[in-house]
Amino acid sequence: MLLAACGDSRLRNLEVGIEKDSLIKLLSEGAPAGDSLPNLYKHEQYFVDGKTFDIYMYDAKNRKAWLDPLVTDEELTPLVVVDGKLAGTGWNHMDGVTDQYRIEARRAPK
């Protein structure tokens, strides 16, 4: 299943179930060489109910949290990886993860 996303070709090429390494490779298109997490604003990892959750915040402008801390949630797209495979993208999916597993990704309450 392909995931639709606001006109960004990198996000449009993602499929649920894609491996984390392949996800990062697809997102690196057009990013500067040497960036270990290209086009990802930040990454957080959680272990809940026996599952490993990697929450990546995609940023088409390749900004980084430590350099530009004022980027808003609306400017980012969450990518939810569970046990090494993409489970879903976008705030609707992330909000479902928050409700089910109490993993909070938003800076402000929804």
Side-chain angles (χ1 to χ4, degrees), residues 7-96:
D8 189 304
S9 64
R10 287 175 287 235
L11 292 179
R12 278 196 312 266
N13 290 328
L14 299 180
E15 293 185 35
V16 168
I18 189 173
E19 297 284 337
K20 179 169 59 173
D21 291 343
S22 296
L23 167 84
I24 292 171
K25 183 178 179 182
L26 282 172
L27 295 177
S28 70
E29 294 175 10
D35 187 345
S36 62
L37 291 175
N39 297 313
L40 296 171
Y41 181 71
K42 69 178 181 174
H43 166 244
E44 296 176 345
Q45 190 173 61
Y46 303 89
F47 187 73
V48 181
D49 290 344
K51 299 176 184 181
T52 301
F53 291 81
D54 287 285
I55 311 298
Y56 295 98
M57 292 297 175
Y58 173 78
D59 180 25
K61 296 179 182 177
N62 199 27
R63 295 171 289 188
K64 304 298 179 188
W66 59 91
L67 295 174
D68 194 351
L70 300 179
V71 174
T72 64
D73 289 347
E74 292 77 26
E75 296 175 83
L76 304 171
T77 302
L79 308 171
V80 180
V81 175
V82 180
D83 292 334
K85 296 186 179 185
L86 182 64
T89 67
W91 286 108
N92 285 339
H93 185 80
M94 186 66 233
D95 290 343

